[in-house]
Amino acid sequence: MPLRTIITYPHPVLRQEAEPITIFDQELKNLVADMAATMYHAPGVGLAANQIGIARQVVVVDRSVAKNEHTYITLINPVISAGEGRVVDEEGCLSVAECYSKVERFRKIHVTAQDVEGNPLEFDAEDRYARIIQHEVDHLRGTLFIDRLSLLKRALYKKKLKKILQERE
Ligand code: NI
């Protein structure tokens, strides 16, 4: 399970619309295993394939209950078919350096997807789990959580990022 490099904003692959998966083979399983390893290594609670430079509709979401557990769910071709309630909570993203901000999301969502074998999945998700899925599905559409911030907050972040990138040079 080799770790993959996490691509960061403003790389264009993060803006790409991810293509659906049609072939459920060993290569897909390897990709998912690498994504999970990369997510836990970061550490993060969700990862979309765009974030490792692969614009395909694959996400992994942490489902661990205990601290040292590494239990996750894989969602292939996920679709959020319904949402209800609105909650505001803090979000960050492995692809968006040094940015944490409050984002409004549905509190409860209905999700359809496929598992890594291609079997259909259909379930409701709430609260933190629902938030992570909405964040990851956004990635597959080329949307980042900073797109959901106010213009002012986004402008401030862009300014901050410019500074961060200059300091890294
Ligand atoms: Ni993210």
Side-chain angles (χ1 to χ4, degrees):
M1 294 188 293
L3 295 177
R4 307 284 188 108
T5 304
I6 296 176
I7 309 284
T8 55
Y9 174 81
H11 194 289
V13 75
L14 297 171
R15 293 307 191 186
Q16 238 172 289
E17 176 98 12
E19 296 286 334
I21 295 289
T22 52
I23 300 165
F24 294 80
D25 58 1
Q26 189 57 43
E27 204 181 316
L28 179 65
K29 291 190 178 104
N30 295 344
L31 170 66
V32 166
D34 288 359
M35 284 174 61
T38 304
M39 171 177 77
Y40 286 117
H41 182 259
V45 292
L47 193 73
N50 308 45
Q51 294 181 272
I52 57 164
I54 297 167
R56 309 298 302 274
Q57 291 185 23
V58 182
V59 310
V60 290
V61 176
D62 178 48
R63 290 297 280 147
S64 303
V65 180
K67 258 209 165 154
N68 303 321
E69 213 183 307
H70 280 180
T71 305
Y72 63 92
I73 186 166
T74 306
L75 302 176
I76 310 290
N77 306 327
V79 175
I80 296 168
S81 52
E84 60 182 83
R86 286 281 179 177
V87 271
V88 175
D89 205 351
E90 186 130 295
E91 274 184 37
C93 178
L94 296 174
S95 292
V96 183
E98 295 180 46
C99 185
Y100 299 89
S101 197
K102 302 236 179 209
V103 183
E104 188 181 279
R105 300 280 188 188
F106 289 123
R107 193 194 71 77
K108 185 179 175 185
I109 53 172
H110 191 74
V111 182
T112 56
Q114 282 164 284
D115 68 14
V116 76
E117 308 279 351
N119 303 308
L121 294 175
E122 189 170 357
F123 60 95
D124 288 326
E126 295 184 349
D127 303 319
R128 177 178 177 273
Y129 186 31
R131 176 169 295 274
I132 301 170
I133 293 172
Q134 288 170 87
H135 178 115
E136 301 312 327
V137 170
D138 266 1
H139 272 300
L140 301 181
R141 310 285 178 260
T143 300
L144 297 171
F145 83 102
I146 49 172
D147 302 333
R148 297 188 178 277
L149 305 182
S150 68
L151 279 176
L152 175 67
K153 276 193 179 170
R154 217 178 318 150
L156 284 173
Y157 176 66
K158 282 184 183 168
K159 217 170 140 186
K160 182 178 166 186
L161 182 71
K162 218 173 152 186
K163 224 175 132 190
I164 294 168
L165 294 178
Q166 275 169 357
E167 281 165 6
R168 279 186 192 166
E169 271 171 16

